[in-house]
């Protein structure tokens, strides 16, 4: 049975294909059309899904969309009636969503197929159920608490659920305009980060701040009865799309979230590219702290309703790895499964798996073993790409390749590491990564000056052999998708100085041989040379979506000051590299 999952006309448009209950391939459109956070129709992703399993669109049995414009309609109407200024916006969105529901026409146009040949059944699933489904059905568990939170989706910002067997029972929803995601975005915008998806930057800035503004920020969000409530006087009226607009070309744009009251309290908002002041850092600190408090309040409430140790979680806010890393200390949950594509691209697999398990009542399958669900490229394709680029390269057997790359990392060089299938989700997990020594004091500056050009306060992340995690980190709950931040043990901070953040934490990726044999062996080879079972891992890109194809990797290698490229079995060194 073939099920195509879609996230479309929404940020991070994506497609996934599920064959007899197994996710075979999944990809966000931005990786193919190179348009960051693209929010249009994921035509290229659909084609890639079909090609990956050798199917035609006419072979598809079900198409599942992680959005349902009819969900929570009563709440939407109520909101529009008490906010007359937003009624026209509401009607416009409804019309657009109606047009969007014609998935059959959209697919037949995208794939140039007669709609009469399409035989699939169509399913629409509420946004946050799709988020929870994406985690729960990929988890190894038969029962779990389900939690989803983000800016907004189908007029909801937060959902709590009981997951059991094939079913997800919704226990509670927090409706718009009350949204932890929007609170975070509002502060991000105020301190100059106005682009969709900038929240991670502010999370990195937060530990540089002090608790100067905690009292004021705490007042913006009140917790009550296991839920929360925003003081809307700090926000502009955002409308039922909660201030997120997808332009006709697929660009996702955020409306201004903060109101004049924020300016009155905290002064002029910071403009992008101006100096970050202590005020900005203190606001970042305060919003991260309040965000965590409310998050733990919600999780504790959820645990009272679903008193289990296992938590399946997704939604854009579930990318807040700092909060994720603390949940074992602050809630009774003992294990978390956070789907690697916790943001909206993950809706595609959530909708498809929900159709398979809950709608069609098919049995659960093995848990998702790893995040490598994207395209891979043959050795001959890689070789042609290298030849076409006019590069000198050597082909190596596996062991000499690993030894040579580990040697280069140990020598302080910066390596582009391109192997196997591309990762699903926003993190590079050792298949489309730039890797470097985690223990050289200047490595962060080197990477920023030569390749990444990121803000000075953003940390780089460590990949660690899973069996060595407890020696280096204060928590041993695994973090295979780089979605938890833990304290680094005091005695190891020097050895990991390039990945040790200002608050002595690291957003680690734990690596097992089962998940990624060649990456595990690379880290092991580095450990044999240096005694450190960790390498610095940052995404293979330069201010663009993460590279997908060999050509994109080679282009990034050539235009930046990367020293070495290890692509498949081929090794390329810049002439300046020793
Ligand atoms: Fe979402």
């Amino acid at each position: 049975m073939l099920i195509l999952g879609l996230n479309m006309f929404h940020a991070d448009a994506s497609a996934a294909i599920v064959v007899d209950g197994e996710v075979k391939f999944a990809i966000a459109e931005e990786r193919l059309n190179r348009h960051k956070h693209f929010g249009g129709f994921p035509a290229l992703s659909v084609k890639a899904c079909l090609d990956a399993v050798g199917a035609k669109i006419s072979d598809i049995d079900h198409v599942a969309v992680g959005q349902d414009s009819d969900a929570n309609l009563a709440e939407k109407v109520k909101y529009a009636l008490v906010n007359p200024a937003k009624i026209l916006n509401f009607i416009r969105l409804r019309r657009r969503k109606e047009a969007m529901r014609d998935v059959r026409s959209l697919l037949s146009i995208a794939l140039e197929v007669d709609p009469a040949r399409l035989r699939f059944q169509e399913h629409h699933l509420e946004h946050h159920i799709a988020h929870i489904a994406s985690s729960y059905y990929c988890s190894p568990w038969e029962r779990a608490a389900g939690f989803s939170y983000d800016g907004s989706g189908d007029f909801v910002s937060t959902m709590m659920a009981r997951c059991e067997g094939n079913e997800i029972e919704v226990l509670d929803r927090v409706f718009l305009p009350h949204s932890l995601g929007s609170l975070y975005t509002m502060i991000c915008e105020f301190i100059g980060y106005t682009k969709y998806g900038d929240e991670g930057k502010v999370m990195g800035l937060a530990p540089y701040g002090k608790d100067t503004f905690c009292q004021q920020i705490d007042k913006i969000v009140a917790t009550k009865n296991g839920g929360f409530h925003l003081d809307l006087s700090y926000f502009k009226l955002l409308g039922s799309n909660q201030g997120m607009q997808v332009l006709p070309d697929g660009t996702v744009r955020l409306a201004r979230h903060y109101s004049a009251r924020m300016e009155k309290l905290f002064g002029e908002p910071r403009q992008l590219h101006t100096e970050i002041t202590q005020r900005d850092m203190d606001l970042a600190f305060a919003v991260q702290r309040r965000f965590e408090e409310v998050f733990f309040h919600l999780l504790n409430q959820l645990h009272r309703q679903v008193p289990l140790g296992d938590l399946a979680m997704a939604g854009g806010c579930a990318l807040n790895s700092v909060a994720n890393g603390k949940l074992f200390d602050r809630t009774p949950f003992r294990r978390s499964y956070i789907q690697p594509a916790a943001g909206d691209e993950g809706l595609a697999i959530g909708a498809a798996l929900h159709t398979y398990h809950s709608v069609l009542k098919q049995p659960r399958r093995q848990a998702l073993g790893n995040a490598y669900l994207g395209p891979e490229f043959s050795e001959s394709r890689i070789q042609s790409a290298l030849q076409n680029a006019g590069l000198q390269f050597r082909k190596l057997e596996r062991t000499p390749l690993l030894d040579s790359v580990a040697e280069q990392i140990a020598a302080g060089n910066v390596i582009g590491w391109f192997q196997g299938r591309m990762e699903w989700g926003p993190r590079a997990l050792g298949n489309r990564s730039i890797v470097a020594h985690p223990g050289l004091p200047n490595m962060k500056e080197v990477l920023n000056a030569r390749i990444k050009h990121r803000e000075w306060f953003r940390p780089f992340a460590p990949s660690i052999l899973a069996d060595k995690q407890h020696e280096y980190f204060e928590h041993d709950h695994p973090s295979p998708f780089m979605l938890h931040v833990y304290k680094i043990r005091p005695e190891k901070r020097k050895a990991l100085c390039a990945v040790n953040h200002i608050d002595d934490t690291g957003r680690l990726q734990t690596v097992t041989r089962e998940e990624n044999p060649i990456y595990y062996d690379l880290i092991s080879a580095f450990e044999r040379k240096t005694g450190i079972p960790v390498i610095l891992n940052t995404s293979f890109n330069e201010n663009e979506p993460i590279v997908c194809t060999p050509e994109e990797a080679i282009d990034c290698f050539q235009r930046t000051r990367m020293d070495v490229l290890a692509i498949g079995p081929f090794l390329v060194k810049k002439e300046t590299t020793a």
Side-chain angles (χ1 to χ4, degrees), residues 10 127-128 131 148-153 196 315-316 342-344 347:
H10 192 86
H127 185 102
H128 285 274
H131 271 316
S148 170
Y149 69 144
D150 62 14
S152 74
Y196 181 82
D344 287 341
L347 297 168

Side-chain angles (χ1 to χ4, degrees), residues 97-113:
K97 281 182 175 166
E98 283 309 316
M100 195 189 96
R101 284 181 72 95
D102 191 359
V103 177
R104 202 164 295 270
S105 301
L106 290 163
L107 282 170
S108 67
I109 293 165
L111 297 162
E112 298 174 351
V113 176

Side-chain angles (χ1 to χ4, degrees), residues 505-535:
T505 61
R507 188 187 67 193
L508 72 165
Q509 175 199 1
T510 50
V511 183
T512 64
R513 186 173 267 125
E514 293 70 41
E515 285 158 342
N516 193 335
I518 193 168
Y519 194 46
Y520 184 94
D521 290 347
L522 174 66
I523 305 171
S524 301
F526 179 73
E527 183 189 22
R528 282 195 295 278
K529 292 183 190 301
T530 62
I532 306 171
V534 179
I535 58 178

